[in-house]
Amino acid sequence: MSETARTVDAQRLTLLLNELRLPAIKQVWPDFAARADKEAWPAARLLATLAEHEVAERDRRRIERHLLEARLPPGKTIATFAFEAVPMISKAQVLALCSGDGWLETGANLLAFGPPGGGKSHLAAAIGLALVENGWRVLFTRTSDLVQKLQIARRELALEATIAKLDKFHLLILDDLAYVTKDQAETSVLFELISARYERRSLMITANQPFGEWGKVFPDPAMTLAAVDRLVHHATIFEMNVESYRRKTAIQRRTGPGRPPARPTITENIRLSRHDNQVAQTRLPASNQSD
């Protein structure tokens, strides 16, 4: 075949690949074609290699889009989560949840409770990231921010449509439920969201208070009971009642590992005083101990 004919065929192929929307194949086919000619590949092997490259590139671009829309906080991954600081959380269980198989398909929920700084948001974001990488769609948002958007939608008579748009996300992560104000308008739209996703689409909620204190969020006791009932019906619950990881890290950074504080705190003085008294008691003669 003449060089002119090869050039014409290449130009025609480029136009066809543009028409078929196959940008990855358009980018790599000359190199693969040259290799196939050199190594005498069968036509089926060349075609399969190009198709596999196109599929892989589409997956990569899709994950990039889904990561952008997920709005996950940066740096929060399973690899950077301090499981040793939260011993009640099973790493094996978390890794199993990261596949998304089974529980996302049935609209099951994840609930994480614990004091501020205990790693709830990090765990939620890390699970969300892993799910996106496995092909699921996730949205991470502060609960108060989403509630405000839903309130605006209600005023514009578009609440139902707005909640329906959230159905494209297999998992909706509502961070910091406690910061929703105790306001009937806010909590009612939150309840409608929970009800709309019940047994259809999954929620992950992080909260500082246990269910017994959710009356601070939902002013209506009946609404509180109904919301909790829907959330826990199909749910995995993480109890993360540990010392604030952020506070512990800040103290270690300030004092340095293995170094005591420059000045004992009041709590430490009390503890040391009690310890000294106990030591003194153990050293008393036996006759004095019985007095």
Side-chain angles (χ1 to χ4, degrees), residues 12 29 39 96 111 131 147 187 197 202 226 234 248 252 256 287:
R12 181 166 172 264
W29 80 262
E39 299 177 8
L111 309 172
L131 289 172
V147 164
T187 54
R197 293 182 72 88
S202 297
H234 308 287
K248 186 187 300 183
Q252 290 174 349
S287 59

Side-chain angles (χ1 to χ4, degrees), residues 86-100:
V86 194
M88 66 285 295
I89 301 297
S90 165
K91 185 175 183 179
Q93 181 186 25
V94 170
L95 291 175
L97 290 169
C98 287
S99 70

